[in-house]
Each structure stands twice: as structure tokens, then as C-alpha cells.
Amino acid sequence: MKRNVISRHARSIAVSVAISAMTATGAYASATDILFILDGSGSMWGQIDKIAKITTAKETLTKLIDDVPDGARVGLMTYGTQSKESCVDFRTLNEIGASAEAIKASIADIKPLGKTPMGMSLSVGIASLSKVEPLDRQKAVVLISDGIETCDSDPCTSAAMAKYLGVNMKVHVVGFDVDQEAKAQLQCIANAGGGQYFNADDTAGFNKAMEEVIEVAQAAPVVIAQVAPAAAEEAPAEPEGPVITEFFREDFDGEVLSDRFEIENENPDNYIVDGGVLTVLSTKFGTFDAEAPENLFKYTGELPRGDWDVEIQFTGEYTAKADRLTLGLRKDENNYIATGHFGMLFSAARCQKTEMFLTKMTKGEADSHGRPMRAVKDGQCYHAKPFGGEANWDVIQADLLEKPIKLTFSKRGRAYTSKIEMVGFTDPDGNPYILESDKYTSLRSPGTLAFQVDRMNNSSYASGEVLMMIDSLVINEVKSGGQ
């Protein structure tokens, strides 16, 4: 399949045009994809009207599944049902389009147990739903919860992702027997996701709220204006330049990795494949230069024989003060070429920044250079890109969770380079903010394609967990236009 590379921005415009056209005809009245995220945390055993909240929620949702109009498609996620302590305890029980009977069977099996990782569940659910074909269908996430986030994530920022993925998606929330603190957070989630919040204090209120949220989720968008379609233009000639062919793609669908991957020094407690996202957690220091880096994800298939690009797209919670994702070719800790992205929050030296790097390690001798991306204006690591410095680290951190980063590692002949882009992030002139590296040359292949997540500093100031959500890994074959 030959194609020219199309920017995500252009793809978003194309989808928006299709959405506008369908909206004008009212076609979305029932043609909606709805992903339910049902709270399975331990607090759902609490009682309202002498009935456990989880019992009411399961009974109501089961009845509603039968009432979803023809044309609508439904999926189901839950969290907190497998572990009392885990913050990556979330599962997709039924993909969008599953049968009503399959979804009702999944609902019946839910048994509340653990924490409330709403932010991570929303991140995974929204990313997964955004990739469900066809992309021009209306999509909705419906979160049902009885409490607040308990895993130090920011669910409001996660919900805001729905606005940046190039599809027509909203996040609606039903709060069941919540206090004022939880209500405020759940309202924030709905607002950030462009949806509505529904409050329920008792069983009758919950039944009504669920009926209303289903109606709202399937409602046709309001048509503000209609623009006559432009006259068809002759398709432009294919531009000169390299022809890019998709060679391999991993979207992390299903519940296990593709058989094209193996994991070196595996720690299964620190990664999960769910809902189209590979989520990796780390508290370890050491990446390609470590003798035994934890959870080194190695691609075992072939690479194109000539030139190629490898693209990895991800978001992350940069809360460990030294968060890093690395991608490259690795033979061992003394021989590799790798690129990556890291966020550093070094309070003692007032250095708060993000940076792309490219490193060549040959027989234990390393050469490396970096490209600063963003930094806090008043810090010692301040640089002028792209907005003259940020007001504080919270601004940068929120974007890193909300706007995916696309990191590209490229081979041209015997030269290796890298490039990075924050999707949905532009400079003051509206242009994509892209950084490119210098090049390193290697006469022989430096090793096997791999990627890994770690905490890039082992000093006392770097604490907490690194959490990265990897959306896709794509290998493209690159040939010149004459080939």
C-alpha cells in the first residue's frame, strides 16, 4: 500500500468535514458508538435504599443495553475489579459493537474490589474509542462513578483528550451517591470532555440519570451553520519525493502484545495491553545502557531492507521528576543507537524541562546530543522554544498527558536521525512544533529494534512512578520517488 504521509492535523480536518456533512442531515440521531466505563472500586459495595450501589448500577445498565436503538454500538470497560492496590487495574470487557448478550454477561460478572484509577481508564478508553471505524460516527464515553480518583492521576486532563483526536467525541458522567468533592471532580471531567454531568442521590435518581445520559449520548449535534460544499477539484498530481509504504503496525488492540514482540527482563505487573493502548509503569533507573533494563520491548520481525522510519506515539504522566521513553536499535548495553524523550523536574537546580535526545553507544563509548523542547521560564534550563518559556511545570505536564507525542527514529543509508512532534501543539504561527536531530552514522546495524520506559535518574530527588501510555508503533518503508 503506497501512500503519501498525511499530517494528523489534515486527517482531523477531513474527519471534521465528514462530521459536518452528516450532522446537516441529522444522521447521528442513533448512529453512535458508546463506551461505558463502570466503576468497579470497593466503594461500590456501599448501600443506597438498602441495596448495594453496584447491584443497582448493574441492573440498570443491563436493562438499558436492551433499549439502545438499532444503529448504535456499545462497549464496556471497568476498573478496580482485580486488585485492591493496583493503579493499572482497568479492563475492556467488551469492544465497541459487541452483542447485547455478551455485554450483559460481562456486567453480571463485575465484582468491585479495589481503587479508582479514573484518569488512566479515561485515557485508555478515549484513545481506544477514537480509533474505532468508521471515524465519522458520533462517539461518547459514559463514565459511571461513586467517588474521586484515588491513583494520583488527573481525570479532567484525561477527559480533555477527547477534543484532540480528530473524531466527534464527548465524555458524559453519572455520579452515584457522591459527596461535594467527588461531584466537583466528576463535573470537571464532563466539562473537560465536552459532555454533561448527571447527579443521582438514590436508586430512582440513578435510573433517571442513566436514561438521560443515554438520550444525550445519542442526540444529534446542533447544526450551527451549513456551508455549501466546494466544487470538486481535480486531484493534484502525486508530489515528488519519497514514497512511504506501511511495513508494520502495532495498535495494541486486544489484551496481549503482538507475536512480533518479546519482552526482555519482563515484569508483568508493570505493563498492560488494554483498549488499544500499551500502558507501561516503571520505578526503575536504567534504559538501553543498563545491563538488564526492565521490560525491554523488542521487535522480533524484519525491518525493511533499505531506508525506514519507526514512529511511536504516546502520552504520559510526568510525575516522577525524571520520566523517559527510549526507542532505537540495541545490541547490548555497550552498543546501540537510540532516541527518546524525557521530562526533568530538578527543583534543587531549578531545572524544569522536556527534551529529545539521540545517542550513539559504541563499545561502551557514548556520544549524545539533545534538542530542548519546553522549559519553565524562570528556571536554569530555560530556553526560548516555543513560546518564550512556560509559566510553570503544571502547564507542560498537563499537555504531556493530553497531547500525544510522536517520536520518529529514521534510517537513511547508514545514517540515523530522529524527529519529535507534539500532536495538537503548535507554535504562535499555527505551525506544528517539530524538532529534528543531527545524524549519527553506523556502518553495521547497531542491534534489534526495541523501546523501553524508565526513571532516568537514580538520585534521591527522582521519586515516584513513570507512567507512559503508548498508542501505536508503526514501521514505514521509505523509497525514493523513482524506485
Side-chain angles (χ1 to χ4, degrees), residues 184-459:
Q185 186 177 70
L186 296 176
Q187 286 177 323
C188 174
I189 293 169
N191 291 337
Q196 295 187 34
Y197 173 74
F198 300 85
N199 194 65
D201 294 324
D202 53 26
T203 302
F206 182 75
N207 292 334
K208 181 180 179 182
M210 288 299 295
E211 291 174 358
E212 291 177 347
V213 74
I214 295 300
E215 183 177 348
V216 168
Q218 297 173 96
V222 176
V223 181
I224 298 175
Q226 298 184 31
V227 179
E233 297 180 2
E234 183 179 349
E238 184 172 340
E240 297 180 0
V243 176
I244 298 176
T245 305
E246 189 172 285
F247 186 83
F248 171 79
R249 171 179 287 271
E250 173 59 76
D251 286 320
F252 304 107
D253 296 325
E255 298 181 356
V256 295
L257 284 172
S258 158
D259 59 7
R260 297 285 186 92
F261 288 92
E262 65 180 27
I263 305 174
E264 195 171 291
N265 308 309
E266 182 179 16
N267 179 354
D269 292 333
N270 280 0
Y271 74 90
I272 184 172
V273 181
D274 187 85
V277 178
L278 168 63
T279 302
V280 184
L281 181 150
S282 179
T283 57
K284 301 291 185 180
F285 164 66
T287 183
F288 280 27
D289 56 356
E291 183 177 355
E294 181 180 273
N295 286 335
L296 181 69
F297 296 88
K298 299 174 66 176
Y299 171 71
T300 59
E302 294 184 353
L303 288 169
R305 293 177 62 86
D307 295 341
W308 45 257
D309 294 330
V310 180
E311 300 174 353
I312 190 167
Q313 187 161 293
F314 60 97
T315 53
E317 290 189 0
Y318 286 65
T319 57
K321 301 180 182 179
D323 311 69
R324 174 170 57 184
L325 182 143
T326 303
L327 167 71
L329 297 172
R330 182 182 187 271
K331 180 179 180 181
D332 53 40
E333 65 270 26
N334 294 314
N335 298 276
Y336 62 82
I337 291 180
T339 186
H341 176 267
F342 67 82
M344 175 180 288
L345 182 63
F346 193 4
S347 301
R350 296 178 60 245
C351 175
Q352 300 167 320
K353 67 174 181 176
T354 64
E355 189 167 306
M356 177 190 76
F357 63 89
L358 182 66
T359 299
K360 178 182 179 182
M361 177 78 79
T362 305
K363 296 182 180 180
E365 296 292 328
D367 191 46
S368 183
H369 68 265
R371 290 287 184 271
M373 290 188 66
R374 304 174 69 184
V376 175
K377 184 172 184 178
D378 295 331
Q380 292 185 8
C381 295
Y382 164 69
H383 54 83
K385 295 181 178 180
F387 295 138
E390 311 291 350
N392 54 61
W393 176 254
D394 292 342
V395 174
I396 299 174
Q397 183 173 297
D399 278 343
L400 292 169
L401 179 61
E402 177 182 304
K403 299 172 183 175
I405 287 175
K406 182 167 70 174
L407 179 66
T408 303
F409 180 53
S410 300
K411 174 182 177 291
R412 299 291 187 270
R414 291 185 170 86
Y416 295 86
T417 60
S418 62
K419 179 175 68 176
I420 196 164
E421 175 185 359
M422 185 173 287
V423 179
F425 186 89
T426 58
D427 65 18
D429 295 326
N431 300 312
Y433 183 50
I434 299 174
L435 295 176
E436 298 186 12
S437 73
D438 293 338
K439 69 178 182 180
Y440 283 119
T441 301
S442 179
L443 300 183
R444 297 176 178 84
S445 174
T448 301
L449 181 66
F451 65 90
Q452 195 247 359
V453 172
D454 80 313
R455 196 169 69 194
M456 64 172 288
N457 197 293
N458 205 31
S459 63

